[in-house]
Amino acid sequence: MSENNNWDVKLYIVTWNVSTKFPENLSLYKLLGLESSPELETDLPDFFVIGLQEVNSQPQNTLYNLFKDDLWTQKFKELLKERDYVVIKTEQMQGLLLSVFARRKHLLHLRQVETEYTRTGLGGIWGNKGAVSVRLNVYGCSICLVNAHLAAHDHMLEERINDYEKIVQEHKFHVKTKEAIFDHDYVFWFGDLNFRLTGEATTSAEEIRAMVAKDELKKLIEKDQLLLVRREGRAFQKLQERVPQFPPTFKFEHGSNDYDMKRRPAWTDRILYAMKENNYRNVKLTVEQTSYKSHPSYNISDHKPVTSEFTIKVIRKPQYSGERFKTNHYQRLSYRMAIANGTESYARLNSFDDLISDLVDAGQVYEDTTERTVMFKPIELWLVGEPNQIEYTIPCGFDEGNADWIGIYREDFTSLSEYLAYEYTETYKDKQHQMNEQQQQHQKNTRTEKLTFSENVNLPQGVRYQLLYFQSTGSRGVTGLVGISNTFDVEKRCPSPSFDDID
């Protein structure tokens, strides 16, 4: 944590075209920058973002993925659960796969999570090319993560540019003021972007390989199509990229580090970023790219994976109620009002509200209403085979979604999709038409609600559980985890003795 309530958040991003291969017998420690044992690791990232292309999407695998995580997500999850990471969201469109992992301690500070996809293959009909994305708020700042696979082959530059434009135009989210990709505070765009090297007629695959062997990468990167179209403002002009200092990542012979001379080697696999540094009046956002490299030891594919680490600044806003603000800052307010009185600046400081605005602009206080949390009454015991009633408190000003729900999870859950049972809450909006004005005003204040889970919920004994409250707008809508209960045990009540059991 840094000063002035600003936090540094670290992201580790992976992009890899896996050429329809499966991760069997594959160690992923080095790819994620991890040690073989969690005890040896320090300063782990807050988020792992895994973007894959050409994941095997045969019909039988697609059917399997409806019921379980795909094999790649399972592999990453097995590795990261030992380090207390949780899968926040996974989105797949045919061979494009994007998974976002977060450290458990951040879960209640991730809001308005939403996924989207855009097909660009066959003019937008087919999903073998295009983009999948996840957008979310992290401690109040908005982040958009885009995994893309653009048109292939040297001569298809215009198609790649068109793919980019189509994704930017058609990617639409349902969060107000953040409907488009570049409306967000931070954007990370990565994938097999398929940009090749210019000079196809004058620079052969063998000549490119020779330049790589001589470490003439600076000379070679000047022929990079992505670098050129960004300079010309034709595509990706809103994004930045550190110039790659690793060899071209495509195309290799499967199982080796030798280039396949059927294709001209190129930097097809890239990670770019964008930031709106002045999006807030009190804080200047920053992004620092601390690494950008390829991993040549992985040779199951004809592409080498590429990773990049980023440190971004987010805004950790303290919670202040009006009364608490008056109490804690009375002396400061009185002093500043006295100074302001009789000066030219007093014209705009002639009310308490104006002075609050002035303090907000000075970065001294900021109430973040988006991080209000639902509090559960402690659960002592869950009785198997019986209805179980829970209680939770809705905070003042909390905006319930149209499809809020509470799920039951194992204590050691590794994905937000691993609920064992759930119940929808009775939202304020559903009941509003039945209330009089006084009741509606009461509902806007802090209040306690009750919810009963059916006796049909069957939880195995010997395991501890938690309840999670999700603020949700419904199918494929905006979702956020806003409440986590204490852990609790489950038991089956012993039946009462009958007369026949008594001697």
Side-chain angles (χ1 to χ4, degrees), residues 14-20 51-55 95-97 120 128-132 146-153 160 163-164 167 189-196 226 236 249-251 266-272 292 301-306:
V14 178
T15 179
W16 192 8
N17 183 321
V18 297
S19 300
T20 72
L52 305 179
Q53 306 86 41
E54 291 195 27
V55 173
L96 269 172
L97 176 66
T120 60
N128 65 320
K129 296 292 190 294
V132 295
V146 183
N147 175 25
H149 192 183
L150 307 185
H153 305 302
R160 285 188 277 281
D163 286 351
Y164 167 80
I167 293 166
W189 191 310
F190 44 91
D192 180 0
L193 306 185
N194 256 322
F195 286 97
R196 308 304 173 92
L226 178 55
F236 291 90
T249 55
F250 173 84
K251 173 180 170 91
W267 285 277
T268 57
D269 309 282
R270 313 288 277 270
I271 301 174
L272 299 92
Y292 190 26
S301 167
D302 55 359
H303 290 252
K304 298 300 181 184
V306 172

Side-chain angles (χ1 to χ4, degrees), residues 29 36-38 41 77-85 414:
Y29 291 107
S36 58
S37 174
E41 296 162 349
K77 188 164 69 173
E78 288 169 5
L79 180 60
L80 291 175
K81 72 178 181 181
E82 301 174 7
R83 293 150 176 86
D84 210 26
Y85 286 87
T414 58

Side-chain angles (χ1 to χ4, degrees), residues 130-167:
V132 295
S133 67
V134 174
R135 64 89 48 218
L136 71 163
N137 286 7
V138 177
Y139 291 99
C141 283
S142 59
I143 300 176
C144 187
L145 307 162
V146 183
N147 175 25
H149 192 183
L150 307 185
H153 305 302
D154 290 44
H155 64 283
M156 299 286 275
L157 175 60
E158 293 302 321
E159 283 73 8
R160 285 188 277 281
I161 294 173
N162 291 338
D163 286 351
Y164 167 80
E165 292 175 346
K166 183 178 178 67
I167 293 166

